[in-house]
Amino acid sequence: MYAAFTAASLELFFRVRRFAQYLILAGLVATACGQKSNAPSDFAAQRQLMVQQQLVVRGINNEGVLAAMGKVPREEFVPLELRTETYEDGPLPIGHGQTISQPYIVAFMTQQLQPKPSDRVLEIGTGSGYQAAILAELVKEIYSVEIVEPLAKSAEATLARLGYTNIHIKAGDGYKGWPEEAPFDAIIVTCAPDKVPQPLVDQLKDGGRMVIPVGERFAQELYLLEKKNGQLKESVTLPVRFVPMMRSGSEK
Ligand code: SAH
């Protein structure tokens, strides 16, 4: 009797154990198949994968640029409801009909600028503030102009929250640059005018570089302009698709 009872309870014990194993397995499968988590460690891992799979393989080799792209938390610049898509290989909407650029484009443009620690850089099109943060890791000061005031405000708040003190943001029409702070060692334009704005050329230091998409809606080329002895040397580097450069008020 005693032996029979033991056998039955052993049988029960194994059944319960098998059931528990199924439960654990089902939990693991559900986690793996479910949405990516928003945990900071998960974002950090996705960021390192992005650097390897989207940047290094496409020829980004500036160590400083790779380190900045591996450090800046892009998820902080993306709307809450899109955070799980932060490290996908494309642009994402940030509201007001604007976008945060694809990580590769941010890295490519930053590498083209050949940023140096002593540089003062002008950015036109602050957007989310992500490109400014990447540059802030590499140069001395960033001056960034954004025409959509609420975007300028929220980028300023994000960058302050993340502790950046070398980024200065102004709401206004970036076509005119930022004459009070000129000249600049480098200028990066992240919206597309149909031709290079003369005020930006004037505000670029001799020996300086400008990276700018130029062309019609949906068909632009990314230009690298280098100013030497007052002359501009230009090279076309990449076909791109940026939002158009808007003009303020009467200049539309
Ligand atoms: N660099 C941004 C992406 C910019 S998207 C980032 O890292 O998130 C392009 C931005 O240029 C938009 O926010 C748009 O509002 C802005 N823009 C368009 N025309 C402008 C102008 N004339 N002056 C300043 N900003 C402009």
Side-chain angles (χ1 to χ4, degrees):
M1 183 62 201
Y2 181 71
F5 177 74
T6 308
S9 49
L10 262 184
E11 164 86 27
L12 184 69
F13 170 75
F14 282 118
R15 268 195 198 177
V16 168
R17 202 174 73 162
R18 225 174 301 135
F19 183 66
Q21 282 171 341
Y22 284 135
L23 272 186
I24 291 168
L25 193 65
L28 284 175
V29 170
T31 309
C33 297
Q35 285 210 325
K36 288 174 200 152
S37 93
N38 272 352
S41 58
D42 201 52
F43 281 129
Q46 290 176 39
R47 194 178 314 126
Q48 300 318 314
L49 275 182
M50 174 274 284
V51 169
Q52 292 306 319
Q53 297 176 348
Q54 300 175 31
L55 310 184
V56 173
V57 293
R58 291 184 179 131
I60 304 295
N61 54 16
N62 179 311
E63 290 297 331
V65 174
L66 292 173
M69 296 292 297
K71 178 178 171 196
V72 175
R74 182 173 164 90
E75 61 277 11
E76 299 290 336
F77 297 87
V78 164
L80 217 51
E81 65 278 13
L82 292 176
R83 281 205 175 166
T84 52
E85 292 169 45
T86 297
Y87 291 101
E88 290 187 6
D89 193 11
L92 289 171
I94 54 171
H96 305 273
Q98 307 303 330
T99 55
I100 175 173
S101 307
Q102 178 189 11
Y104 170 64
I105 294 294
V106 173
F108 183 86
M109 291 175 82
T110 311
Q111 177 161 293
Q112 290 274 305
L113 274 190
Q114 299 162 37
K116 288 194 288 297
S118 57
D119 281 351
R120 295 171 70 254
V121 178
L122 173 67
E123 177 189 33
I124 307 303
T126 316
S128 67
Y130 178 66
Q131 171 74 75
I134 295 292
L135 278 167
E137 298 287 335
L138 299 163
V139 304
K140 191 158 173 235
E141 303 286 337
I142 322 288
Y143 297 85
S144 187
V145 187
E146 169 56 55
I147 202 165
V148 178
E149 199 166 348
L151 284 177
K153 288 234 156 66
S154 70
E156 204 162 34
T158 306
L159 292 165
R161 182 161 46 80
L162 294 176
Y164 289 100
T165 54
N166 58 342
I167 304 172
H168 315 278
I169 295 178
K170 180 170 95 162
D173 184 357
Y175 182 92
K176 303 175 203 157
W178 195 327
E180 299 82 2
E181 297 294 345
F184 300 98
D185 299 287
I187 300 180
I188 181 168
V189 183
T190 64
C191 48
D194 47 16
K195 58 183 192 343
V196 180
Q198 188 59 39
L200 300 186
V201 175
D202 297 341
Q203 291 172 30
L204 185 62
K205 260 190 204 167
D206 209 67
R209 299 161 306 285
M210 185 185 330
V211 176
I212 179 168
V214 183
E216 295 161 16
R217 193 175 264 261
F218 304 131
Q220 307 130 10
E221 301 282 4
L222 193 63
Y223 281 78
L224 171 65
L225 308 177
E226 293 168 279
K227 199 179 198 181
K228 286 212 174 95
N229 306 319
Q231 300 286 310
L232 278 188
K233 190 181 119 211
E234 60 176 54
S235 40
V236 173
T237 56
L238 207 67
V240 283
R241 248 171 91 158
F242 277 88
V243 296
M245 180 181 274
M246 299 182 265
R247 298 303 317 280
S248 61
S250 55
E251 291 144 321
K252 258 181 195 162

